[in-house]
Amino acid sequence: MGNISACLSDETESNLNWPPGGIPEQYRVVGRSGATIRISENLDSPILLTIPAGKILQVDMVKGRRCRIIEPVQGWGSTSTEKGYVIIEKCNIENSKYKVVFREGVVVRNGSDPNNSEIVRLIPFGEVVESIGEITIVNDVKRVQLSDGWISMTRPPLDEQDDKEIVLLEKIE
């Protein structure tokens, strides 16, 4: 059996022994089409994979618009496009308080995906809830984790002619 490094390009081989970066921090993929991860910082380097929206990443280095990912895979991704569209952003892991501003209230579900989870309870209009820090995106809707489940921050427009999403929660400082 041959030497595996002989099968790798110089660029790939150099990433196997990365110099240490800073203290890893949590980032989240927020781009609708996910985040393209490449072998090196160079935008022309080979693509490793595309990580879907909502996934958490461990990043140990940011250089301009590029970030070095160490988990779930080692590679480089763009934090934003040249025009400013955000693809990967630093996680806000602090607990936050939200007030329910949707008149019909919001539904708490036992999972982050509303299509594959069960209803836990209904939170009425005007009630204040506290998140436990986790926010994810499912089908272009931001979802916030509570101690007993997940709630949506917004709701898609009711019809195709209305392009504004419906706000369900308001963050309280």
Side-chain angles (χ1 to χ4, degrees):
M1 183 178 277
N3 183 346
I4 190 166
S5 64
C7 300
L8 301 172
S9 71
D10 291 340
E11 194 167 40
T12 304
E13 189 172 353
S14 69
N15 279 342
L16 295 176
N17 297 310
W18 278 359
I23 296 171
E25 296 183 277
Q26 281 194 338
Y27 280 67
R28 179 183 323 279
V29 177
V30 296
R32 287 184 182 181
S33 299
T36 300
I37 309 304
R38 296 180 179 275
I39 287 176
S40 77
E41 183 181 357
N42 185 336
L43 289 169
D44 293 328
S45 68
I47 294 172
L48 286 172
L49 73 154
T50 298
I51 297 176
K55 292 293 181 188
I56 300 293
L57 313 172
Q58 292 294 318
V59 172
D60 74 342
M61 183 184 301
V62 177
K63 292 172 87 177
R65 293 186 304 106
R66 305 287 286 153
C67 63
R68 187 170 79 172
I69 299 157
I70 58 172
E71 283 183 36
V73 65
Q74 286 190 346
W76 286 82
S78 293
T79 57
S80 65
T81 64
E82 286 181 305
K83 294 183 178 182
Y85 177 77
V86 179
I87 301 167
I88 299 171
E89 69 180 6
K90 192 171 180 181
C91 286
N92 175 8
I93 56 170
E94 66 186 42
N95 292 7
S96 298
K97 290 186 179 182
Y98 297 90
K99 181 178 182 179
V100 177
V101 295
F102 187 61
R103 290 261 174 227
E104 297 171 18
V106 294
V107 173
V108 179
R109 293 185 170 271
N110 64 0
S112 61
D113 184 347
N115 297 320
N116 295 308
S117 57
E118 307 222 352
I119 294 174
V120 173
R121 65 183 171 111
L122 176 67
I123 303 173
F125 171 77
E127 189 169 317
V128 174
V129 295
E130 186 170 352
S131 73
I132 60 171
E134 183 72 20
I135 297 176
T136 191
I137 298 171
V138 179
N139 299 326
D140 296 329
V141 174
K142 279 190 179 180
R143 305 266 298 154
V144 178
Q145 188 174 22
L146 307 179
S147 61
D148 63 340
W150 292 82
I151 57 176
S152 295
M153 297 178 74
T154 59
R155 191 169 90 183
L158 295 175
D159 58 46
E160 294 176 12
Q161 295 172 1
D162 185 13
D163 64 347
K164 292 185 181 180
E165 61 188 8
I166 299 164
V167 177
L168 306 177
L169 303 175
E170 183 177 278
K171 188 172 182 179
I172 299 173
E173 297 304 322

